[in-house]
Amino acid sequence: MTHSDTAGRPVAQLLVVTRSLVELTDRAVSDSELSHAAADVLVFAARQAARLVEDVVSLRSRDPDGASAFVQCSSSTDLDRAYSDLECLAEAAGMIRAHGIGTQYRAHLAYLMRYAAESACSALERAEQSMNLADITSLTNSWAMDAHN
């Protein structure tokens, strides 16, 4: 998937970032610790991704006709899950930065962060599928109504 493929699809953009977070946390688990530099990157990227999730929810909620349906569909729940996981990831990485967590605990935090990144990625994948299906259904219904008129 190229940048132009994801430009109009914010959840696809989020998936690219979140998959990178999974890769970074996986590397930290393999190394049995998380460096301060990696923690800095994780804090920044996870917080930015969480803000992007908020933006997606805000954009979807602005449409008066679709807002009610969006809140009730599974993609809304999945986006909430992704937001929570990304915030958890950022907080855990922030602990390393702010409190100088010892090496023995960094490995445990690396596992926690990998779990949070994988969970966010799974939630975003489900949200994207649900949103794409909802968009296709909406288009199909629109075409059917146009054909009927």
Side-chain angles (χ1 to χ4, degrees):
M1 182 178 303
T2 65
H3 177 70
S4 61
D5 293 337
T6 62
R9 300 173 38 221
V11 176
Q13 292 172 352
L14 278 164
L15 276 167
V16 170
V17 172
T18 307
R19 287 179 181 135
S20 297
L21 293 172
V22 169
E23 190 175 310
L24 183 58
T25 57
D26 194 48
R27 196 168 307 139
V29 168
S30 297
D31 294 344
S32 296
E33 82 167 68
L34 188 70
S35 70
H36 287 275
D40 286 340
V41 170
L42 283 168
V43 168
F44 176 77
R47 288 239 160 85
Q48 289 298 107
R51 298 305 165 260
L52 288 173
V53 170
E54 287 179 325
D55 291 346
V56 169
V57 170
S58 177
L59 284 172
R60 285 285 181 161
S61 299
R62 281 189 194 148
D63 173 24
D65 297 329
S68 177
F70 174 67
V71 169
Q72 295 173 5
C73 77
S74 63
S75 62
S76 177
T77 303
D78 289 327
L79 289 170
D80 285 344
R81 177 74 215 190
Y83 176 83
S84 295
D85 289 332
L86 290 165
E87 282 293 327
C88 175
L89 175 59
E91 287 298 315
M95 289 173 62
I96 292 171
R97 287 179 42 209
H99 304 294
I101 302 292
T103 304
Q104 70 275 20
Y105 299 111
R106 286 190 215 161
H108 296 295
L109 281 173
Y111 279 104
L112 168 72
M113 289 184 281
R114 180 175 68 181
Y115 174 81
E118 289 172 346
S119 179
C121 197
S122 295
L124 288 169
E125 287 169 349
R126 289 189 308 270
E128 182 180 45
Q129 289 172 352
S130 178
M131 290 166 73
N132 287 343
L133 182 61
D135 290 344
I136 289 170
T137 302
S138 176
L139 278 172
T140 303
N141 290 342
S142 176
W143 290 337
M145 299 232 357
D146 287 345
H148 181 46
N149 291 331

